[in-house]
């Protein structure tokens, strides 16, 4: 068993953003490719953004996409608890350990002082930063103020000089002059850890070997590494992924109303198709293949193939991949998935197996289904010029002749199966020395009022039933 340990650590703030799901996928693939351990950790300390039920959404999304976890809040593990709010008691002791080592310090600056400091810095054209006011307070003064219960935070003591560097598997070697780094807060006045500090401590205690996250954390990573060094802990391997963009200027964001995973599924995108698309969103496989099972993804996974460039979310590409998955579904599974969409559009009994056989190659996303079925409850209004079709060599006049020939034929038809109806119509066209389309194209128009339908005229007749077919055929003839 590999020693690789990765974690997906989402915040329960609502629906699953596609960028978060991509991070989950890459993190899961890294663990599975290495034969390692995939950990789910819930980071719920930002109670201001907490959304009730969001943790269940995280569970449900990962399960629906096949991204099972080896350790987590619901199944436990050797380094729990796996919910950050349940770990609050341990962070302060680690911060105090850094204070004793001279790697952190107590800061008593009030909010008023910090606001005035930052205002003055901005007025001078400087980037806001902490000025180190409390870095070197005498120990006895610190002790006296702590004893008095004076509000305080614990700040990381960034070295006065030097370079903080790290190697990223995507972006290569990155170095930052430590003078550009701020003495970040580790423990807030309420005793709670900041996100960055809790992340480092939790990752260490959980033995995380590979940290996979968005490239927006690149600038924070030098501070993370300085904390690892201050504790004397091993650093993880870093894999930073480019952002998922709506377009060249704007990041995809659920706060801006962009599609979440749940939105995509509600529209009729298949979970595995979404996952397949997210694999390719900023990552390139070798060769031309684009459709992969989860097992295939595990085999071909290589973080070095993650792009440095932002990934543009392409709805057309997602539709194309989803279409490939829909085509590959067993008919019974397609029927199961399509039924709710059919229910929303059709309120009469029809041959659904025949309908689905026609729909499956004609939809890329399941929400494409209802607009194709708007004629089943009633023929859509249309004018005779719809019968004109150059390819089928039909006109309104020829359509009248075709429908007039079809009416007695179908009235006499006893076997109302699709194949039997088609065979009778084929023989009729042959007897009239016409091509099948000359006869059947007008039938489809008469039964639907549409030029494009899920199936040809004989399919529609079989789905509608004999009585409804004859009623519509008679009405169409009367209108010509």
């Amino acid at each position: 068993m590999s020693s690789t340990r990765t974690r997906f650590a989402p915040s329960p703030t609502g629906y699953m953003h596609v960028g978060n799901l991509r991070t989950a996928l890459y993190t899961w693939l890294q663990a599975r490719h290495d034969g390692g351990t995939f950990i789910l950790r819930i980071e719920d300390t930002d109670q201001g953004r907490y959304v009730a039920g969001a943790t269940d959404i995280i569970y449900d999304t990962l399960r629906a996409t096949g991204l099972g976890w080896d350790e987590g809040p619901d199944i436990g593990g050797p380094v729990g608890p796996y919910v950050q709010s349940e770990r609050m008691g341990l962070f302060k002791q680690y911060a105090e350990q850094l204070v004793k080592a001279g790697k952190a310090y107590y800061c008593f600056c009030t909010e008023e002082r910090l606001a005035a400091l930052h205002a003055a810095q901005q007025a001078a054209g400087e980037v806001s930063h902490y000025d180190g006011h409390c870095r070197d307070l005498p120990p006895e003064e610190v002790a006296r103020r702590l004893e008095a219960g004076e509000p305080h935070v614990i700040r990381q003591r960034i070295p006065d000089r030097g370079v903080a560097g790290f190697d990223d598997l995507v972006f290569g070697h990155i170095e930052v002059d430590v003078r550009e780094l701020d003495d970040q807060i580790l423990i807030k006045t309420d005793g709670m850890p900041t996100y960055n500090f809790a992340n480092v401590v939790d990752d260490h205690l959980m033995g995380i070997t590979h940290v996979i996250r968005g490239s927006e954390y690149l600038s924070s990573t030098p501070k993370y590494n300085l904390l690892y060094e201050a504790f004397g802990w091993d650093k993880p391997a870093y894999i930073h992924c480019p952002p998922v963009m709506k377009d060249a200027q704007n990041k995809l964001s659920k706060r801006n109303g962009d599609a979440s995973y749940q939105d995509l599924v509600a529209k009729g995108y298949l979970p595995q198709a979404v996952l397949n698309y997210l694999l390719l969103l900023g990552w390139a496989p070798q060769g031309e293949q684009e459709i992969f099972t989860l097992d295939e993804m595990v085999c071909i996974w290589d973080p070095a193939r993650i792009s440095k460039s932002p990934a543009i979310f392409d709805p057309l590409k997602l539709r194309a991949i989803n279409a490939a998955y829909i085509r590959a579904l067993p008919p019974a599974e397609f029927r199961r998935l399509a039924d709710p969409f059919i229910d929303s559009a059709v309120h009469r009994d029809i041959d659904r197996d025949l309908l689905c056989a026609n729909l499956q190659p004609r939809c890329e996303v399941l929400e494409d289904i209802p607009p194709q079925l708007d004629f089943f409850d009633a023929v859509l209004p249309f004018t005779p010029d719809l019968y004109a079709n150059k390819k089928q060599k039909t006109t309104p006049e020829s359509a009248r002749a075709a429908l007039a020939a079809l009416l007695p034929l179908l009235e006499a038809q006893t076997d109302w199966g699709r194949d039997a109806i088609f065979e009778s119509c084929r023989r009729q066209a042959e007897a009239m020395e016409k091509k099948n389309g000359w006869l059947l194209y007008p039938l489809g128009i008469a039964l639907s009022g549409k030029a494009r339908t899920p199936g040809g005229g004989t399919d529609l007749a079989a789905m509608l039933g004999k009585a409804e077919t004859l009623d519509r055929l008679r009405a169409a003839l009367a209108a010509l």
Side-chain angles (χ1 to χ4, degrees), residues 342 346 348-359 362 372-373 375-376 416-418 421 447 453-469 472:
I342 298 172
V346 180
R348 57 177 300 138
D349 289 333
I350 57 174
D351 183 341
R352 292 210 174 188
D353 287 336
L354 177 55
L355 175 61
C356 286
N358 282 289
L359 283 173
R362 288 176 169 86
Q372 299 184 59
L373 311 182
F375 63 90
F376 272 108
W416 204 255
R418 178 200 41 189
I421 297 171
L447 297 183
T453 55
T458 52
D459 292 73
L460 299 186
M463 286 185 265
L464 285 166
K466 183 172 183 177
E468 181 70 14
T469 295
R472 294 189 181 196

Side-chain angles (χ1 to χ4, degrees), residues 240-276:
H240 287 88
C241 307
V244 179
M245 306 292 288
K246 184 175 186 176
D247 51 44
Q249 287 78 37
N250 301 293
K251 286 180 66 175
L252 204 65
S253 168
K254 63 184 177 186
R255 291 189 189 183
N256 295 335
D258 293 320
S260 67
Y261 167 79
Q262 283 69 28
D263 293 329
L264 294 174
V265 171
K267 290 173 183 287
Y269 288 91
L270 307 187
Q272 291 308 317
V274 174
L275 209 62
N276 195 148

Side-chain angles (χ1 to χ4, degrees), residues 53 109-110 165 207 250 253 322 370:
C109 292
T110 63
N250 301 293
S253 168
N322 198 70

Side-chain angles (χ1 to χ4, degrees), residues 127-396:
V127 176
S128 295
H129 62 280
Y130 183 62
D131 61 356
H133 182 74
C134 294
R135 273 176 71 105
D136 299 308
L137 293 176
E140 57 274 13
E141 180 182 346
V142 172
R144 175 178 58 77
R145 296 174 79 167
L146 291 175
E147 181 68 24
E150 193 170 331
H152 63 276
V153 301
I154 296 179
R155 288 183 182 271
Q156 180 179 4
R157 186 187 295 273
I158 301 293
D160 295 322
R161 62 182 64 85
V163 171
F166 68 96
D167 292 308
D168 183 82
L169 270 70
V170 176
F171 289 87
H173 186 71
I174 296 175
E175 289 187 349
V176 176
D177 188 323
V178 295
R179 289 173 295 184
E180 299 176 14
L181 303 178
D182 207 1
D183 284 0
Q184 68 175 337
I185 294 173
L186 305 180
I187 301 293
K188 297 178 284 189
T189 53
D190 61 3
M192 294 294 103
T194 56
Y195 173 83
N196 286 347
F197 185 58
N199 237 270
V200 168
V201 174
D202 279 346
D203 283 349
H204 168 72
L205 294 179
M206 292 184 176
I208 302 303
T209 60
H210 294 70
V211 171
I212 302 177
R213 59 190 178 205
S215 58
E216 64 268 24
Y217 290 102
L218 274 171
S219 61
S220 302
T221 303
K223 293 182 183 181
Y224 282 56
N225 273 3
L226 288 172
L227 284 172
Y228 280 105
E229 291 172 4
F231 281 116
W233 294 341
D234 291 337
K235 301 169 189 172
Y238 292 106
I239 303 172
H240 287 88
C241 307
V244 179
M245 306 292 288
K246 184 175 186 176
D247 51 44
Q249 287 78 37
N250 301 293
K251 286 180 66 175
L252 204 65
S253 168
K254 63 184 177 186
R255 291 189 189 183
N256 295 335
D258 293 320
S260 67
Y261 167 79
Q262 283 69 28
D263 293 329
L264 294 174
V265 171
K267 290 173 183 287
Y269 288 91
L270 307 187
Q272 291 308 317
V274 174
L275 209 62
N276 195 148
Y277 175 68
L278 293 180
L279 170 73
L280 306 174
L281 199 56
W283 183 87
Q286 291 182 319
E288 299 299 316
Q289 183 179 342
E290 290 190 323
I291 305 299
F292 299 98
T293 65
L294 264 182
D295 287 343
E296 288 171 332
M297 293 183 200
V298 170
C299 290
I300 64 174
W301 174 249
D302 179 359
R305 301 190 69 82
I306 297 174
S307 171
K308 297 179 184 179
S309 303
I312 305 293
F313 188 86
D314 182 355
L316 294 179
K317 177 80 167 185
L318 174 57
R319 282 184 69 91
I321 289 176
N322 198 70
Y325 274 81
I326 284 180
R327 307 286 185 271
L329 287 173
E333 178 65 7
F334 177 78
R335 164 77 189 269
R336 184 185 71 81
L337 296 172
D339 267 341
F341 293 87
I342 298 172
D343 289 341
S344 71
V346 180
H347 306 96
R348 57 177 300 138
D349 289 333
I350 57 174
D351 183 341
R352 292 210 174 188
D353 287 336
L354 177 55
L355 175 61
C356 286
N358 282 289
L359 283 173
Q360 190 166 359
R362 288 176 169 86
C363 72
E364 296 180 332
V365 182
L366 295 174
E367 71 170 359
D368 293 345
I369 291 173
Q372 299 184 59
L373 311 182
D374 50 359
F375 63 90
F376 272 108
D377 288 345
V379 179
L380 300 177
F382 68 98
T383 55
D385 59 0
L386 192 59
Y387 287 111
N389 185 293
K390 289 183 179 179
K391 181 179 179 182
Q392 305 294 353
K393 298 182 179 178
T394 60
T395 65

